[in-house]
Amino acid sequence: MTNAKYNAGARTLHWLIAILIIANIAGGLLHEPLEKVVSLMPAHKAIGMTILVLSLVRLGWRLTWTAPAYPATMTPLEVLAAKLVHVVLYLFMLAMPVTGWIMASAGKYPLSWFGLFDMPKLPVAKDSVLAGIGHEMHEVGGYLLIALVLGHVLAALRHHFLVRDDILRRML
Ligand code: HEM
Ligand code: HEM
């Protein structure tokens, strides 16, 4: 057992970004089935760009501190698996917004941040190879991210309810 917690900045950014990502996974999956009822895409894009900025802040902040040590009860393989999943989650926190940004830059709509101001578009031509790659990677990436987040959440719940260590508490 260890009493060390993640610092307040790390915890705040973790949960803020987690909520926004879960909202964007839901929005991405529901925008088509709900398109007759509500247009989810403008909010999806604005939330996604917010995730990009917050993730860059989070990664910058991450370089300034060391995570609390893992309890000795965890095997080296478990520690390695946890760290690997975290690195890949960080990659997806950047790759999903960037591929979405590439795809949306090729579209005809402006990229508005909740109607308050327009965000810049990348120089991506409509129907270009880059726009197509962005679209494909965003779609496949969305499903991979769902699997990753599920694994991550199940691991956290396993630690809390089955192994009964402090892993979840130190992120709360
Ligand atoms: C972490 C951030 C993001 C996540 C987790 C996410 C997730 C998703 C998911 C799961 C889909 C549905 C995939 C499909 O079935 O086609 C989707 C679609 C889409 N996303 Fe994102 N997204 C994010 C950021 C963005 C950003 C920043 C933009 C644009 C600025 C964007 C633009 C789009 C567009 C235009 C679609 C619709 C694609 C289509 O229906 O053809 N996304 N997103
Ligand atoms: C979309 C959602 C999420 C993403 C992208 C995400 C991402 C991350 C990342 C990158 C880390 C590593 C932190 C670091 O050391 O720098 C982390 C840690 C952690 N996350 Fe998440 N997370 C998400 C949702 C959740 C949820 C829903 C839970 C709880 C059920 C959770 C529980 C934890 C815990 C307990 C840790 C600390 C793990 C450890 O010390 O090894 N996360 N998360």
Side-chain angles (χ1 to χ4, degrees):
M1 288 265 190
T2 160
N3 293 317
K5 272 193 165 232
Y6 277 86
N7 62 68
R11 285 180 275 135
T12 309
L13 284 164
H14 174 269
W15 292 110
L16 185 58
I17 293 173
I19 290 167
L20 294 178
I21 288 191
I22 291 166
N24 248 24
I25 290 176
L29 296 178
L30 292 176
H31 90 100
E32 252 176 39
L34 294 185
E35 71 186 347
K36 298 240 156 53
V37 187
V38 54
S39 166
L40 291 175
M41 257 311 130
H44 180 88
K45 293 175 188 172
I47 293 172
M49 295 299 281
T50 309
I51 293 170
L52 177 59
V53 173
L54 290 175
S55 300
L56 288 171
V57 171
R58 180 170 172 190
L59 274 169
W61 178 235
R62 182 67 178 88
L63 299 177
T64 68
W65 48 268
T66 318
Y70 282 112
T73 42
M74 277 175 73
T75 66
L77 193 68
E78 281 175 318
V79 172
L80 182 71
K83 288 186 175 166
L84 253 178
V85 169
H86 296 163
V87 169
V88 180
L89 281 169
Y90 278 122
L91 284 178
F92 273 75
M93 281 155 44
L94 300 176
M96 285 307 290
V98 168
T99 52
W101 192 9
I102 290 173
M103 174 190 1
S105 296
K108 58 180 190 272
Y109 302 106
L111 271 180
S112 169
W113 198 79
F114 301 108
L116 293 178
F117 57 88
D118 281 354
M119 297 169 286
K121 279 191 165 188
L122 299 168
V124 185
K126 198 174 170 351
D127 298 327
S128 60
V129 175
L130 184 57
I133 292 176
H135 196 157
E136 283 299 316
M137 286 181 68
H138 196 76
E139 196 168 332
V140 177
Y143 292 106
L144 289 177
L145 179 61
I146 293 172
L148 265 172
V149 169
L150 270 180
H152 177 68
V153 171
L154 287 177
L157 296 179
R158 171 180 167 267
H159 275 283
H160 194 70
F161 291 108
L162 297 177
V163 185
R164 290 167 180 274
D165 58 20
D166 272 349
I167 293 290
L168 178 59
R169 252 185 302 267
R170 65 196 199 159
M171 192 44 108
L172 295 177

